[in-house]
Amino acid sequence: MRRGGADELDEVMEVMTAAFQPCFGEAWTRSQCAGILPMHGVSLTLAEQGGQVAGFSLVRAVADEAELLLLAVDPSEQRRGIGQALLDDFIATALAGGAHRLHLEVRDGNPAVELYCTSGFSQVGRRRNYYHGPDGQSHDAVTLALVD
Ligand SMILES: CC(C)(COP(=O)(O)OP(=O)(O)OC[C@H]1O[C@@H](n2cnc3c(N)ncnc32)[C@H](O)[C@@H]1OP(=O)(O)O)[C@@H](O)C(=O)NCCC(=O)NCCS
């Protein structure tokens, strides 16, 4: 695993497009990623397998809080522990950096909720109709937090 930057956006977008189902409207666009990367406290972590980017996380740390903005693993590499490794890295890095509250938003019903909850996150809120699919359908997000 290593930290990445704007130079790796092609690889990140490849994983993003393959990992997120378009019907739920969870994936970010390239310009959203490019826009947030230079911001203070934002970091991109890449997980590589055989020299290729297999997964990534995008994180924002502000004061004593850290937010997991995105986590994705290429479908061909899923269920091999890469998502867990990226999540563990997020948690360890955030705590080492002085964060006391870690949080994230995820679509209600996304199987990733299982991954987060087994790593110590629990639901603290719900945002109604947070995600918008291309078919006009809306989907709730749940807010999960881990408090140190
Ligand atoms: C969520 C995601 C990042 C998980 O990545 P991954 O590399 O497959 O995860 P891991 O192999 O590390 O899984 C660790 C554990 O999480 C849980 N888990 C992961 N994916 C799961 C799934 N689809 N259904 C149920 N549990 C799951 C399991 O407990 C798993 O352990 P196990 O394989 O021993 O049963 C990946 O499925 C993904 O990219 N999804 C699409 C993007 C997305 O929705 N991201 C989350 C919102 S930002």
Side-chain angles (χ1 to χ4, degrees):
M1 243 176 321
R2 65 179 177 88
R3 304 298 169 219
D7 287 351
E8 276 111 352
L9 269 184
D10 284 346
E11 290 95 321
V12 164
M13 289 312 296
E14 229 173 89
V15 174
M16 182 102 70
T17 307
F20 285 99
Q21 294 178 60
C23 56
F24 297 121
E26 300 162 283
W28 288 28
T29 62
R30 188 188 175 93
S31 63
Q32 283 174 311
C33 294
I36 203 163
L37 268 177
M39 288 186 188
H40 182 71
V42 173
S43 60
L44 173 70
T45 301
L46 306 174
E48 288 184 328
Q49 197 76 295
Q52 306 270 23
V53 174
F56 71 90
S57 67
L58 186 66
V59 169
R60 174 168 47 196
V62 180
D64 66 347
E65 294 198 1
E67 182 176 11
L68 182 62
L69 300 166
L70 284 170
L71 175 71
V73 173
D74 190 273
S76 65
E77 300 286 355
Q78 288 180 5
R79 299 309 283 263
R80 295 180 186 178
I82 296 174
Q84 183 74 65
L86 285 163
L87 181 60
D88 290 348
D89 174 71
F90 162 61
I91 295 170
T93 305
L95 296 179
H100 292 294
R101 184 176 184 275
L102 281 55
H103 61 104
L104 62 94
E105 245 115 39
V106 59
R107 177 179 53 81
D108 191 15
N110 186 324
V113 170
E114 169 86 14
L115 168 64
Y116 298 133
C117 290
T118 54
S119 295
F121 284 80
S122 51
Q123 186 175 337
V124 294
R126 170 177 295 272
R127 290 177 184 237
R128 299 236 173 252
N129 304 323
Y130 186 76
Y131 298 103
H132 302 281
D135 59 357
Q137 284 245 338
S138 297
H139 307 275
D140 289 357
V142 288
T143 305
L144 306 181
L146 187 161
V147 178
D148 181 28

